[in-house]
Structures are given as structure tokens and as C-alpha cells.
Amino acid sequence: MSKPSDLTYDAVVIGAGHNGLAAATTLARQGKSVCVIESRDGIGGMARNAAIAPGVVAPKMAHLLYNLNPKTLKELGITAPKSVSLPTVSLADDGRHVVIQGDLVSYADGSAHPEAATFAALHKRLTKFAALLGQMSLKTPPSLAGGLMDMATLQELAGLAKLGIGLKRMGKKDMREFLRILLSNAYDLILDDFADAPLAGMLAADAVRGAYAGPRSPGTVFSMMYRLGNGGDVRLPMGGMGAVADTFANAAKLAGCDIRTGCGVAQVIVENDTARGVILADGSVINARSVLSSIGAFQTMQMAGVQHYDTEAVRRLRNLRNKGTVAKVNLVLSGAPDFVGLDAKLTAGRLLIATSATYVERAFNPVKYGDMSNAPVIEAVIPSLSDPSLCSDGQHILSANVQYVPYALAGGWTPAARQKLLKLTLDRLEVYAPGLGRLVTHSEVLTPLDIETQTGAPGGHWHHAEMGIDQILTLRPVNGMARYGFGIAGYYLCGASAHPGGDVMGTAGRNAARQLLKDGVLA
């Protein structure tokens, strides 16, 4: 679908990642004309596939689904992409690997784990708490600015009252426990009940996944609960993450959106403090009644011009915490690797190297000083074992998220530094899969700096900004700008740096579009 340049769209959406596409689809399904602009040649952002080597297609960056919200999918007219549920295998140096699926825990050889009942109880409790917090994910963060005589404010209060009622219905014991642990650190919570071993390591690693934080950092229990917002199931999409992105794009096209790739936005047009369209990198102009941006919050401000924001807003956005700590390493293998102590089903699972909570905390320490960890936390998956269509000629792809790796490495990301990161990753994997290095025929290393360069994600951060307690809900991305409207009339933030944050789920985009409609911008 194309339109003459003299026509005005109801909305232009900057960025064709899952959030941008979700925002566009939400508006288009309400009869609005929408144009999505993507600077790269393809859609998907971090949720895309790439040809890593001849005959090998792999998830370029993100490789698993965690928090797809069924209500968001239903509203977008999307059928959940075909996927398989994966067990998590927390690898152990002594070969006593721990298998976790839902609230069930056992050893890889099938024998009972002594902490299975304790884990099931903790999982049940945290999932219950997460469901309460999850009520907020599909709503705009509340504002009470209108006063008690304002109807909109009263509606906000009603939503908060519902949350309070849900908390009270938990019962006094659970309510006290929720309030006790909400802002505490994951390390203490975990080691109160578990030995400092691979099961504790898995819990600690999941509490800080993608974060510039260790499990001792305040607020990491909240992150644990965030991961359980939709049950905590870990799913591998068939066809890779690119298939997920295609699902979002197809929904947008079906709704009537115009998606343009290969030419980015250079500037947002602002007239009389109102967004009026965009100027593309090639100089062409697209007029619109509103603009939504799915890129980083600070970059969104820069695109409109800092002169349109007060000094305090500029200061807050400039100081937004978004230091990426996760590198992506893709390994093309000539055959399937052999992980000692794992059968074929478990080898195809989510493999985690985080042998204890202390291991995770120690892995975080070097990144504070601009260095990479010599014993990193690694989340690896071999998607070709579950989906052979990704590779040909007996090849396989091992996709690894490596944490902790600094965005700004001391000495810079030289070829030697990249080779060191690759070697560190292979050395850790070979502890559990001897000989894996001999299977590697091609490798790709993406540092946080590369991720920023290739996707625009600020700091190479997978969530565009830390999911810390000072950057969530009414403080996301910053205080005073949490309700998607971005300081200029008709200008909205719809990416991962907006509430409810990261993961491939599209909820931030959906929420932003709904708020734009509620605000009457397109009335």
C-alpha cells in the first residue's frame, strides 16, 4: 500500500520492531491511516533472523519468547506463533545438572531434587505476586494530577483501588511477604531457602537477565516477578524470532498499515509545539497528525529537538540508565554437540551456565570497571535441534547470550578483544560439551556496542533502559514522562523504554497507541 506524498497520515510510527508494529496495528484496527518507517532493510529490530553462514539461518539477537501477552495478541488479531516450551537446564560442574520446567525441578538423570518442594512453593508465591503486578502491564501508569474532582483521576484511583483489593485478597501472610520482598535483592531471597548451587544460580541469573545489576542489587526480586508476568514459560518460536516479527508485520499489513523500510527518519516535524510528521533521511517529507517513536527515549527527544523540552526533562533523559551488558555469540556447528549428562531432549533446551548465585554476582563485578567477566553467565539454545528448517547439510546453530560484557570496554572493542570474548564463551561451553570448539565452522560476535549500532537500542541495552525500581511504572522512562505522551502534542513513545518495558511482547506499543486514542489526538 502506498500513498501520494501530499496526503497526511493519521500517524507515523518510527521503527518496525514488535512494539512499533503493535502500535501501528492498534491504530489501524481503529480505522486510522498509519505509515511505519524503518531505517533498516527489514523489519523486526532485535527479533529478526539472519543468514549467519551458507545454509544457516539464525535468530540474530533475541532467541526466546518469555512474556507474550495473550490479550495483546488477541487485540492485534495475531495468532500466537508456533513455538515449543523448553526446559531450563542449569549446568553443574560436577555433572549433576538441574532441570527446571514450570514449578518442577529434578536432576537431568531423572532423580529427585532435594529442593523441589521448596522451589515449587517459591514459584507459586512469586507467580501469584507477578499476576498482581501484571494487572498494571496493560494500563497506562497512573496519574493523579487532575485532583479528586476530575473524572479521569477518579478512574485512575479506581484502578489503583482494584490493585489494592487484589493485594488484600491474598491474605495477611502473603500481603506482608509481598511488601517485604518487592524491593529487596534476589540474592538474599534465594539463599534464605536454597543452597548456593545451580538451582540458586538459575534463579539469580533470571533475576538480572539483561540488566546492569547483580543479584545483590536492590529491586532484583521485582525483576524475578516481572519474568513471571505471564507464567514464566520459556518458548522457542519455530522459524526463529524472525517468524515472530513477521507475524506482527503481517497483522499490521492486514490492518492496512503502510510499512516502508530502508530509509530512516532524520527529524520529527514540530509546528506550534505539535508533531506534524517526519523528514526522512533522503529529504522527503511524510505529513501526519501524530508521531509515535519506538526507538530509545533520549533519541526520541533528539529527533524532535531538545529545544522543545525543559531543562529538567533533558537532564532526566540524558541520565537514563541504559548500559547494555549482554553480548550475542552465534556459532555455526558442523554437527550436534554432545553435552555430558544430557539426552537429546535436554540438549535442545535452554542451557544456562550460572552455577550459583555467587557465580552470577562475581560475573557482574568486572563490568563495573569496563572489563568482561572471565566466567560469564551464558544462556544458550540450539534452535536447529527443535527446528531443523533453520540449517541444512547436518549443520546446527548455537545461539548464546553472554553476560556480563561491557558496552564501553576498557581499551575498546578491538579485533583482539572480540576474539577474547569468543574464546571465553567457547571455553565455558566446552566445560560441559568437550570438543564443541572443533565443531565450530563460523562464528559471529555482537557486543553491546554492535547491538546499538545495528538496532539503535541505546547502550546496546536489550530493554532500551534498565528495568530497575527507579525506572519502572510511573518512572519509566523518567518521572513526568511515563504516560507515553512525550512532551510535545501528538508525539508518543511506544518502544521498550516505555511502560511496561522490554521482552518481545508488543505491549508498550499497544499501550501507547491506546493512550493516543484516549487523549483524543486523532478525534
Side-chain angles (χ1 to χ4, degrees):
M1 174 180 176
S2 62
K3 294 196 172 193
S5 59
D6 60 342
L7 289 186
T8 297
Y9 287 93
D10 289 318
V12 165
V13 178
I14 302 171
H18 57 281
N19 276 312
L21 293 168
T25 305
T26 299
L27 293 173
R29 285 171 68 89
Q30 294 298 315
K32 309 304 178 184
S33 58
V34 185
C35 181
V36 182
I37 305 296
E38 171 57 53
S39 62
R40 292 156 195 87
D41 291 332
I43 56 91
M46 289 192 187
R48 60 189 175 93
N49 290 346
I52 304 298
V56 178
V57 174
K60 183 78 170 179
M61 295 173 193
H63 55 202
L64 294 172
L65 288 172
Y66 294 95
N67 256 334
L68 273 181
N69 189 293
K71 184 174 182 180
T72 297
L73 296 181
K74 182 178 180 180
E75 289 180 0
L76 298 177
I78 292 176
T79 300
K82 184 179 179 182
S83 60
V84 294
S85 179
L86 296 185
T88 292
V89 182
S90 191
L91 299 171
D93 290 342
D94 63 1
R96 294 282 281 167
H97 310 311
V98 178
V99 180
I100 306 101
Q101 187 140 31
D103 62 353
L104 302 177
V105 177
S106 65
Y107 285 114
D109 62 7
S111 59
H113 193 285
E115 296 173 326
T118 304
F119 177 80
L122 177 66
H123 185 275
K124 180 180 179 180
R125 187 163 72 248
L126 292 181
T127 302
K128 183 178 182 180
F129 295 162
L132 181 66
L133 291 174
Q135 297 176 20
M136 301 293 292
S137 67
L138 292 171
K139 298 178 180 178
T140 297
S143 170
L144 308 181
L148 295 179
M149 300 303 292
D150 179 70
M151 182 57 67
T153 299
L154 292 176
Q155 290 174 344
E156 302 276 6
L157 284 171
L160 291 175
K162 185 178 179 181
L163 186 67
I165 291 170
L167 181 60
K168 189 173 182 179
R169 283 177 176 170
M170 286 184 179
K172 186 177 293 186
K173 181 179 178 181
D174 278 349
M175 181 173 67
R176 286 176 174 172
E177 179 66 2
F178 175 81
L179 296 174
R180 181 184 75 85
I181 69 173
L182 180 62
L183 303 182
S184 61
N185 73 79
Y187 187 91
D188 289 343
L189 177 73
I190 295 164
L191 296 190
D192 277 349
D193 294 323
F194 298 91
D196 199 11
L199 180 55
M202 181 279 295
L203 289 166
D206 278 358
V208 297
R209 192 185 316 133
Y212 188 87
R216 289 181 183 268
S217 301
T220 43
V221 171
F222 175 88
S223 298
M224 290 177 69
M225 290 191 284
Y226 172 83
R227 296 294 177 190
L228 296 170
N230 289 296
D233 193 20
V234 179
R235 305 197 70 85
L236 177 75
M238 296 295 96
M241 292 299 289
V244 178
D246 288 343
T247 300
F248 276 86
N250 291 337
K253 292 174 183 176
L254 186 63
C257 297
D258 182 1
I259 301 176
R260 304 185 187 184
T261 60
C263 190
V265 173
Q267 180 183 340
V268 173
I269 301 170
V270 180
E271 298 175 353
N272 299 320
D273 288 328
T274 302
R276 294 299 187 192
V278 296
I279 301 174
L280 302 185
D282 63 5
S284 58
V285 173
I286 299 178
N287 298 311
R289 298 167 62 198
S290 63
V291 177
L292 299 92
S293 171
S294 64
I295 62 176
F298 185 70
Q299 292 80 356
T300 294
M301 179 189 67
Q302 288 180 310
M303 201 163 281
V306 295
Q307 67 272 22
H308 298 291
Y309 295 84
D310 62 48
T311 303
E312 183 59 22
V314 174
R315 184 190 68 80
R316 289 174 178 174
L317 289 168
R318 193 185 301 277
N319 292 325
L320 190 64
R321 295 187 298 109
N322 52 21
K323 294 180 181 178
T325 63
V326 180
K328 181 69 190 298
V329 176
N330 293 315
L331 303 174
V332 178
L333 309 177
S334 59
D338 180 17
F339 280 79
V340 177
L342 300 184
D343 60 21
K345 179 181 178 181
L346 294 180
T347 301
R350 173 188 175 232
L351 309 176
L352 193 63
I353 300 177
T355 55
S356 67
T358 300
Y359 177 100
V360 178
E361 183 66 32
R362 288 175 177 168
F364 172 53
N365 287 334
V367 83
K368 304 173 190 175
Y369 309 103
D371 200 1
M372 64 184 93
S373 172
N374 289 324
V377 174
I378 298 177
E379 177 193 75
V381 65
I382 309 170
S384 49
L385 290 175
S386 300
D387 184 3
S389 68
L390 296 175
C391 298
S392 62
D393 301 323
Q395 298 180 98
H396 286 280
I397 181 74
L398 188 150
S399 173
N401 290 334
V402 183
Q403 191 175 351
Y404 294 87
V405 177
Y407 168 80
L409 180 70
W413 281 109
T414 63
R418 293 171 183 276
Q419 189 62 33
K420 178 183 177 182
L421 175 56
L422 176 61
K423 185 177 185 304
L424 284 171
T425 303
L426 284 171
D427 286 349
R428 288 305 296 153
L429 289 169
E430 284 208 317
V431 170
Y432 310 99
L436 183 144
R438 293 193 296 272
L439 298 176
V440 177
T441 60
H442 181 81
S443 62
E444 178 183 47
V445 175
L446 298 173
T447 70
L449 179 60
D450 296 326
I451 291 169
E452 180 184 62
T453 301
Q454 294 187 23
T455 69
H461 199 294
W462 290 58
H463 301 147
H464 288 197
E466 276 295 301
M467 294 291 295
I469 56 177
D470 59 334
Q471 292 185 175
I472 56 172
L473 297 172
T474 58
L475 300 176
R476 190 165 188 87
V478 295
N479 187 24
M481 305 186 79
R483 292 174 59 81
Y484 306 107
F486 209 66
I488 296 169
Y491 196 32
Y492 285 72
L493 184 67
C494 68
S497 55
H499 173 75
D503 284 342
V504 179
M505 51 186 177
T507 304
R510 172 260 189 199
N511 289 358
R514 287 172 62 91
Q515 187 62 43
L516 183 151
L517 293 170
K518 183 178 179 180
D519 290 344
V521 174
L522 302 180

